[in-house]
Amino acid sequence: MVIDFDRTIAYRCAACGEITYGDFSLFELSGKKGISVHCACGESNISITADGRTSFNVELDCVICDSPHKYSLKFDTLAKRDCNDFQCPEVGVGLAFIGKNKSVNMAMEESEAMVGDVLMACGLEHTGKNGILMLKALDKIQDLSENDNLKCHCGSRVIDIEVRENEIVLKCCVCGTKSVIDISEIKKNGFSRLSKIIIGQK
Ligand SMILES: [Zn+2]
Ligand SMILES: [Zn+2]
Ligand SMILES: [Zn+2]
């Protein structure tokens, strides 16, 4: 029997929403340092570090709920199972997959298809790879609106929200003032912490 020590890790970056892939060997996990894979945007990483002799901690920031998540992974499980998935406890979306290359790729593809279905159900299928971020941003904007924190400089609270592929356009239905929120602004971590949006006011 030939034992395959190579493993693949795939995760969704919490900052930019892209999927990042990395390869490692089970031997690389033997040291104290463990391994980590970084997204090309430089804003996030996923790490696997030793937790005692027989298990590991898998840690990453969550693209869905913005919190850091920590999972325990037994060495046995990692060695034997073709694919281990790590989901956000808030929503059943796979954030990361670790295992054999083929199985990980397949699992991520399936997960992408599932996310696609959710986006379709929300009428956001045109946002493509920005889908999850747009969904989150829209949720945030609706949240602000419900709490009276979305308004126009003219005083109006009747705001039209249009989600495009790379931006969200907010338009006041009274005076017509527009505010465009670019995807790069949404990708910045501060967006989810905004306490109010006032259109036409910088
Ligand atoms: Zn990224
Ligand atoms: Zn989460
Ligand atoms: Zn207005």
Side-chain angles (χ1 to χ4, degrees), residues 11-20 38-44:
Y11 81 101
R12 295 178 203 278
C13 171
C16 73
E18 294 281 349
I19 294 164
T20 295
H38 296 255
C39 177
C41 80
E43 296 294 319
S44 81

Side-chain angles (χ1 to χ4, degrees), residues 8-187:
T8 294
I9 193 163
Y11 81 101
R12 295 178 203 278
C13 171
C16 73
E18 294 281 349
I19 294 164
T20 295
Y21 293 89
D23 294 310
F24 66 96
S25 142
L26 290 179
F27 293 114
E28 289 174 63
L29 290 175
S30 57
K32 276 212 168 69
K33 266 172 59 198
I35 61 138
S36 77
V37 173
H38 296 255
C39 177
C41 80
E43 296 294 319
S44 81
N45 73 295
I46 182 168
S47 68
I48 309 179
T49 49
D51 177 28
R53 296 184 67 103
T54 55
S55 59
F56 301 100
N57 288 323
V58 176
E59 289 173 84
L60 81 162
D61 287 334
C62 179
V63 67
I64 312 281
C65 71
D66 282 324
S67 315
H69 293 319
K70 187 172 172 178
Y71 308 88
S72 183
L73 174 64
K74 292 233 174 329
F75 181 79
D76 250 24
T77 316
L78 175 63
K80 284 179 193 153
R81 274 178 77 180
D82 282 351
C83 183
N84 301 277
D85 65 21
F86 303 90
Q87 302 192 339
C88 172
E90 302 281 322
V91 203
V93 173
L95 305 174
F97 299 94
I98 303 173
K100 306 263 178 69
N101 184 273
K102 220 170 134 188
S103 308
V104 166
N105 288 341
M106 264 169 51
M108 197 44 121
E109 268 170 41
E110 265 174 44
S111 172
E112 280 290 275
M114 198 195 96
V115 168
D117 288 346
V118 172
L119 294 176
M120 187 103 83
C122 299
L124 291 176
E125 64 272 28
H126 60 287
T127 56
K129 67 180 173 58
N130 294 327
I132 290 187
L133 291 175
M134 285 305 194
L135 198 61
K136 258 174 66 180
L138 195 57
D139 189 56
K140 173 71 188 175
I141 291 169
Q142 272 160 358
D143 205 47
L144 290 174
S145 169
E146 275 163 28
N147 292 300
D148 240 0
N149 288 316
L150 172 67
K151 43 192 132 181
C152 178
H153 71 105
C154 77
S156 152
R157 285 155 209 265
V158 190
I159 312 291
D160 187 50
I161 305 169
E162 186 195 340
V163 183
R164 297 184 182 156
E165 188 184 348
N166 293 310
E167 60 196 18
I168 292 178
V169 182
L170 303 173
K171 189 180 163 203
C172 172
C173 298
V174 175
C175 73
T177 303
K178 266 189 197 175
S179 174
V180 178
I181 307 170
D182 190 76
I183 184 74
S184 61
E185 253 174 279
I186 293 167
K187 282 177 181 175

